[in-house]
Amino acid sequence: MEKRKIIAIDMDGVLADTDQHFLTWYERDYGVRMPYESLLGKPEYEAFPVEGAIRKMVFTPGFFRTLPVMDGAVEAVKSLMQDYNVFIVSAAMEFPNSLNEKYDWLAQHFPFISWKNIVFCGDKSIIDADYLIDDHCKNLDNFKGKPLMFHSAHNVNQNHHQRVKTWAEVLTAIKEHHHGIIEKID
Amino acid sequence: MEKRKIIAIDMDGVLADTDQHFLTWYERDYGVRMPYESLLGKPEYEAFPVEGAIRKMVFTPGFFRTLPVMDGAVEAVKSLMQDYNVFIVSAAMEFPNSLNEKYDWLAQHFPFISWKNIVFCGDKSIIDADYLIDDHCKNLDNFKGKPLMFHSAHNVNQNHHQRVKTWAEVLTAIKEHHHGIIEKID
């Protein structure tokens, strides 16, 4: 039997819709509803007019705990788990206040993922997996397996990784890549 | 220039002297000072007469935050960091209450370790490193690099990995292994 391939999945911007949460909290705190389009192509920390707004949000208790789930993520991860070993790999160490919130968020929205398959880290170069689904090129660039760049406002101008725009596209991309490998072996 | 090798280091039983902490807390809670020798060769959860004592301790707030540092660990890690990329890799997900305590403990005792080099995980098979220093065979058995088993009361009867009894022995073992590889290449 073929050994199960390992898929590593990022949280912020991939399982969780961080962009929508930024827009919602920004409106709540500063009274201005910014259009999604205003975020396009900007590093997250420079995407809003009020300087330091993002940094303040990510260090506010509750931010990570209340993130909305990305459309289609729950069903897609369940589907991938039928054929792959799925690990959640989040760069949570940058925001130590987020550790427990992220753990509780996963327990609420993805209760079918075992604690054995959760990784909170800093630098993701230490992760050994066959696929990495992430919205940040800094994580994808040094990955040894197949990188998939999850579409996000901040990465619209990055084009050196295969882009997946939705969770449906993730499933298709992995299926096609996997079949490509098997055909090469056969 | 040769790329820096990566050393992954476990926390409990390796950077932190968990056995001593179990003995201290057991005496505090149950009034009996068990001799260290009574722990030898027993799985940690079965090492004390009162059933469930260990489980109760590891779920008590403060347990992980107040662990004593293993003799020689601070200086040895500093020394290794001169020549290697050192990552701290702890199976903290088993005890989610420990996440913040472990982070704060590292910040206090190993402030020279960047958040980028800290990994809290469950199953360590996803870790890609050249060395793993750990006291549990379940972590060492599937490791793809060079495993070093840090001596602990519970592992005295395990002999299928190279045993290192102290942090001084860790430094020697890594030096000798590294030189062995270089000689083979030359």
Side-chain angles (χ1 to χ4, degrees), chain B residues 1-184:
Chain B
M1 205 178 76
E2 194 189 5
K3 203 186 158 200
R4 279 190 168 221
K5 299 275 185 195
I6 296 168
I7 302 179
I9 303 176
D10 178 34
M11 288 180 75
D12 299 324
V14 178
L15 289 185
D17 194 340
T18 324
D19 286 341
Q20 286 305 327
H21 210 43
F22 284 145
L23 293 167
T24 306
W25 275 43
Y26 193 85
E27 182 178 14
R28 185 197 69 178
D29 293 348
Y30 304 101
V32 182
R33 180 73 191 178
M34 300 290 293
Y36 175 79
E37 290 66 31
S38 69
L39 308 180
L40 295 175
K42 294 178 191 159
E44 285 162 307
Y45 285 118
E46 300 166 19
F48 288 89
V50 173
E51 211 185 306
I54 293 285
R55 186 159 285 278
K56 197 180 157 198
M57 286 184 215
V58 295
F59 282 104
T60 299
F63 179 83
F64 291 98
R65 184 65 187 85
T66 56
L67 280 163
V69 178
M70 189 69 77
D71 277 350
V74 172
E75 289 313 313
V77 171
K78 269 189 193 166
S79 165
L80 289 173
M81 284 172 69
Q82 292 174 14
D83 300 310
Y84 298 90
N85 282 343
V86 170
F87 280 77
I88 309 305
V89 178
S90 173
M93 290 301 155
E94 196 170 356
F95 316 107
N97 60 306
S98 77
L99 291 167
N100 282 101
E101 294 195 16
K102 280 172 177 273
Y103 186 93
D104 292 341
W105 188 90
L106 284 171
Q108 179 188 352
H109 300 292
F110 296 82
F112 47 86
I113 293 173
S114 161
W115 60 265
K116 293 184 181 176
N117 292 48
I118 301 173
V119 183
F120 292 163
C121 61
D123 183 340
K124 295 189 186 180
S125 66
I126 198 170
I127 299 302
D128 181 22
D130 298 292
Y131 297 90
L132 173 61
I133 308 165
D134 206 294
D135 61 323
H136 279 285
C137 290
K138 66 180 176 190
N139 297 324
L140 298 163
D141 287 347
N142 295 314
F143 181 62
K144 290 151 219 149
K146 166 71 179 167
L148 291 173
M149 184 176 70
F150 203 92
H151 182 74
S152 190
H154 67 79
N155 69 28
V156 290
N157 298 325
Q158 306 289 330
N159 290 304
H160 58 292
H161 293 298
Q162 181 178 349
R163 181 182 300 276
V164 279
K165 284 194 174 166
T166 62
W167 270 100
E169 281 195 23
V170 171
L171 297 186
T172 308
I174 288 178
K175 205 171 176 181
E176 284 176 357
H177 182 262
H178 199 157
H179 282 187
I181 290 173
I182 290 169
E183 275 171 19
K184 268 189 208 166

Side-chain angles (χ1 to χ4, degrees), chain A residues 159-177:
Chain A
N159 290 304
H160 58 293
H161 294 298
Q162 181 178 347
R163 181 182 301 275
V164 279
K165 284 195 174 166
T166 62
W167 270 99
E169 282 195 23
V170 171
L171 297 186
T172 307
I174 288 178
K175 206 171 175 181
E176 284 176 358
H177 182 261

Side-chain angles (χ1 to χ4, degrees), chain A residues 147-158:
Chain A
L148 291 173
M149 184 173 72
F150 203 91
H151 182 74
S152 188
H154 67 78
N155 70 28
V156 289
N157 298 325
Q158 306 289 331

Side-chain angles (χ1 to χ4, degrees), chain A residues 112-130:
Chain A
F112 46 88
I113 293 173
S114 161
W115 60 265
K116 292 184 181 174
N117 292 50
I118 301 173
V119 182
F120 292 163
C121 61
D123 182 341
K124 295 190 186 181
S125 66
I126 197 169
I127 300 303
D128 182 21
D130 297 292

